[in-house]
Structures are given as structure tokens and as C-alpha cells.
């Protein structure tokens, strides 16, 4: 059996993070940074995972599934899930090489899980429907990460832009994305999604009558934003990003480092800027006209540990012909 390489894109949440956890819609777009996963069936009775980014190799014996630990467990679980689907147990060598910054909220682990399920199933002779790839990656993510909302595996599988509502699934949007860029800037502060989600939910439980209207407002904002995205109305989309950031600040997930980056982007010409993902650290996203991007990037560089420029990525998971 020969090896297969698949890749899947990372994402940014443009609107609706946190509020999505309690049933409001959110919008995420796939970005032009991909995770590449190569899977090769072997004669052994273990899954061996090598991560180029972490320069780390870990092995997972197939007959000791319950004792798997280690950083690469999610990858082994994703491969194992695909193996069960293919009804073929075999050793595997898995090689990961990702352009998506890990732990950044840009969906790195879901992109790796999706590409792993895709490559493993193809390597075992199984052509899965994309929905199945997404579902299996979600199952694998759940085993390791608790209860993710499902945005990350969906966007990594399908690419483009989606509006997502928990329990209802997603619709694919048709954004017009011309003449603008997304600039991402890292606060350099680590973030913990589970912790931030718990904190926001605790606040909501304490002050339901105050927080409910904020959630309602966030939901309305997403519906409006989806229409603006499809019209290519980036002036107004930027305004909604700023409002969305205000709502996220209200529920306590901004920090002074995030505020500094958000305001730096806005003062230097961004159409809108907000934190993206869980907050508490991590990245901000700024929507910029192409002509203004250089100025905004160089201003952000003086405060951010890393600045990235990304485009919308239309293609979700795919097999690489290499
Ligand atoms: O920062 P991330 O990509 O882990 O995003 C978390 C987004 C939340 O809405 C806060 C949680 C979720 O599961 O959707």
C-alpha cells in the first residue's frame, strides 16, 4: 500500500465566537494556511506520528487504545476513527507538516484531524463523503477536546465561508472577497479555549437577564454580516466586526494586549478589527483594504509577536498530488 498526502485549511472566526456555544450563529472562513498530513500503511501494529512543527515522534500501539497519551493522541485517534470506518486495522506512519500556528485559535488541530481522516481513509481504499470526513474528525476531536462547537472541522473540510449554528449545522456562504485582506496579529499570550468558554458561561448563568440581550444582539449581527459578506460591503462589515468585538469585551474575553492590537489596527486604517476565537490572548483579526494593508501590518508589528496576512481559501480538504 502506498502513502497518501491530504491537506486541509485553517480558519478564522469572523463573527459569533462564544455566542455560538449557546446556540447563536457564527461565521467562519477558511484561510490560506494549510495542514499537510501524509499517511502510509505499514506492517506494524502501531500508529507512529511524526510532527515536523514540534519535531516530535510518538507511537500508539493499536491493541492498547485506552492507554494512549501524549501530544499527538488526537492525530492517532483521528486515524483510528477512519480505520474503524474502513474496517481495516493496520499500522500507520503519519507525517504532519502544518502552516497553521498551533494553539492560535486558527483551527490547527481540526485541520490536522480532517486531513488525517481523509488521508487515512484514502490510504485504506475508502472514498468518504466530505460530510463523513467532517463527522469523523469531529468525533476524534471530541474524544480529546471535550465538546467543540464543530466549526473547525466543518470549515477545514469544506473551505470557503460558512455560517454555522450548533445543532443545526451550517450553510455555505458565497462571499465576495476582492480588494481586501485579513491581517492576523498575535498577542503572544497563550489562550485556553475551554477555560474561556467556562468563564463566559459562568457569567451568563450569573446574569442571564443582562447577558441574554447581548447574545441576541450577537445573533442579529451575524445574520446581517452574512448578507454584507455576500454583497462585498466591507465598510459595513468592518463596523460589525468592531461591534462584535465590543460584545466579546462585554462578556470578558478581551485583554489589554488584545485591545492594543485591535486599536492599533483601527487607527492605522483597518475597516474593522476584533479578537478572534476564544480570546484571553491569541490573535486579533483586522479587515483591511489591500492598499492599506502594509501600513496596518507594520504598525501591528511593533506590538504583536507575529503578524500574518491571509486570504479566503476556497478549497477545503483535498488530496495532494505529490
Ligand atoms: O479560539 P478557538 O478557535 O478555539 O475558538 C473558540 C470558539 C468558541 O466559540 C469560543 C468555542 C467554540 O467551540 O466554538
Amino acid at each position: 500500500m502506498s502513502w497518501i498526502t491530504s491537506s486541509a485549511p485553517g480558519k478564522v472566526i469572523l463573527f459569533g465566537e462564544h455566542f455560538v456555544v449557546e446556540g447563536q450563529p457564527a461565521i467562519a472562513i477558511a484561510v490560506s494556511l494549510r495542514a499537510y498530513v501524509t499517511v502510509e500503511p505499514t506492517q506494524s501494529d502501531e500508529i507512529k506520528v511524526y510532527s515536523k512543527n514540534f519535531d516530535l515522534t510518538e507511537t500508539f500501539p493499536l491493541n492498547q487504545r485506552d492507554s494512549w497519551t501524549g501530544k499527538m493522541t488526537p492525530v492517532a485517534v483521528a486515524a483510528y476513527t477512519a480505520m474503524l470506518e474502513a474496517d481495516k486495522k493496520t499500522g500507520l506512519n503519519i507525517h504532519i507538516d502544518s502552516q497553521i500556528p498551533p494553539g492560535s485559535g486558527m483551527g490547527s488541530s481540526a485541520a490536522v484531524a480532517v486531513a488525517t481522516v481523509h488521508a487515512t481513509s484514502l490510504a485504506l481504499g475508502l472514498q468518504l463523503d466530505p460530510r463523513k470526513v467532517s463527522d469523523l474528525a469531529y468525533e476524534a476531536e471530541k474524544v480529546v477536546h471535550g465538546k467543540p462547537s464543530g466549526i473547525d472541522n466543518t470549515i477545514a473540510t469544506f473551505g470557503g465561508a460558512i455560517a454555522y449554528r450548533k445543532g443545526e449545522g451550517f450553510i455555505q456562504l458565497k462571499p465576495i472577497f476582492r480588494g481586501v485582506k485579513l491581517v492576523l496579529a498575535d498577542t503572544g499570550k497563550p489562550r485556553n479555549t475551554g477555560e474561556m468558554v467556562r468563564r463566559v458561561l459562568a457569567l451568563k448563568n450569573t446574569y442571564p437577564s443582562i447577558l441574554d440581550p447581548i447574545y441576541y444582539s450577537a445573533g442579529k449581527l451575524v445574520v446581517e454580516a452574512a448578507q454584507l459578506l455576500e454583497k462585498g460591503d466591507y465598510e459595513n462589515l468592518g463596523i460589525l466586526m468592531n461591534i462584535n468585538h465590543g460584545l466579546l469585551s462585554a462578556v470578558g474575553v478581551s485583554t489589554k494586549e488584545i485591545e492594543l492590537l485591535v486599536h492599533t489596527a483601527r487607527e492605522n486604517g483597518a475597516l474593522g478589527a476584533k479578537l478572534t476565537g476564544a480570546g484571553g490572548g491569541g490573535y486579533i483579526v483586522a479587515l483591511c483594504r489591500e492598499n492599506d494593508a502594509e501600513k496596518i501590518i507594520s504598525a501591528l508589528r511593533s506590538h504583536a509577536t507575529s503578524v500574518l496576512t491571509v486570504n479566503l481559501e476556497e478549497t477545503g480538504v483535498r488530496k495532494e498530488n505529490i
Side-chain angles (χ1 to χ4, degrees):
M1 284 185 274
S2 63
W3 50 268
I4 297 278
T5 300
S6 296
S7 74
K11 64 102 201 345
V12 292
I13 299 181
L14 274 189
F15 296 98
E17 52 274 88
H18 283 290
F19 309 112
V20 72
V21 174
E22 289 288 279
Q24 297 297 340
I27 295 176
I29 71 164
V31 296
S32 49
L33 299 171
R34 301 183 74 88
Y36 293 82
V37 178
T38 301
V39 175
E40 180 190 23
T42 63
Q43 302 296 334
S44 75
D45 52 7
E46 62 190 21
I47 300 175
K48 189 169 170 182
V49 183
Y50 170 72
S51 159
K52 191 173 171 206
N53 303 75
F54 294 110
D55 190 21
L56 177 69
T57 303
E58 286 177 357
T59 49
F60 301 89
L62 286 173
N63 54 7
Q64 290 166 37
R65 166 68 193 84
D66 292 339
S67 63
W68 291 358
T69 51
K71 209 177 172 69
M72 295 299 134
T73 305
V75 183
V77 172
Y80 192 76
T81 312
M83 239 186 246
L84 293 181
E85 189 67 23
D87 204 15
K88 277 186 196 159
K89 260 196 197 173
T90 171
L92 297 174
N93 278 340
I94 300 179
H95 182 286
I96 299 160
D97 186 359
S98 176
Q99 302 166 334
I100 309 161
S104 63
M106 291 172 69
S108 138
S109 74
V112 170
V114 165
T116 301
V117 167
H118 193 259
T120 306
S121 53
L122 287 178
L124 300 180
L126 184 66
Q127 186 101 35
L128 291 176
D129 176 61
R131 266 180 203 274
K132 192 76 196 174
V133 172
S134 181
D135 288 350
L136 293 179
Y138 181 73
E139 287 309 312
E141 288 260 286
K142 240 174 29 184
V143 172
V144 208
H145 296 304
K147 268 183 93 184
S149 64
I151 293 181
D152 290 20
N153 52 288
T154 304
I155 197 79
T157 304
F158 293 95
I162 60 167
Y164 177 91
R165 196 196 287 269
K166 198 172 164 182
E168 281 183 21
F170 68 96
I171 52 170
Q172 199 109 30
L173 300 173
K174 294 182 193 65
I176 299 176
F177 212 80
R178 269 194 302 270
V180 284
K181 281 191 181 305
L182 291 174
V183 175
L184 296 158
D186 190 359
T187 58
K189 297 276 171 191
R191 39 177 280 299
N192 180 330
T193 300
E195 167 63 23
M196 297 314 286
V197 169
R198 273 190 295 280
R199 225 193 269 181
V200 172
L201 290 177
L203 192 68
K204 184 164 189 285
N205 284 336
T206 313
Y207 298 106
S209 62
I210 299 172
L211 276 267
D212 283 351
I214 296 180
Y215 277 68
Y216 176 80
S217 173
K220 287 280 172 213
L221 188 151
V222 167
V223 173
E224 186 75 28
Q227 289 166 6
L228 295 174
L229 199 57
E230 293 196 326
K231 277 198 267 182
D233 182 347
Y234 289 101
E235 293 283 344
N236 284 308
L237 207 63
I239 293 171
L240 292 194
M241 285 173 77
N242 293 343
I243 297 174
N244 194 158
H245 181 73
L247 300 179
L248 288 164
S249 295
V251 298
V253 294
S254 190
T255 63
K256 70 174 189 297
E257 292 83 8
I258 289 174
E259 292 303 322
L260 177 63
L261 295 182
V262 160
H263 286 274
T264 302
R266 289 179 194 161
E267 278 161 18
N268 285 279
L271 295 165
K274 63 183 276 291
L275 70 84
T276 178
Y283 277 76
I284 66 118
V285 57
L287 178 67
C288 311
R289 294 209 180 282
E290 252 163 19
N291 291 343
D292 301 329
E294 260 326 301
K295 182 172 176 228
I296 295 161
I297 291 166
S298 87
L300 284 170
R301 283 221 172 96
S302 25
H303 303 296
T305 53
S306 155
V307 181
L308 302 166
T309 309
V310 294
N311 286 317
L312 170 77
E313 175 80 12
E314 293 290 354
T315 314
V317 66
R318 69 175 176 225
K319 177 175 174 293
E320 298 289 335
N321 292 317
I322 44 176

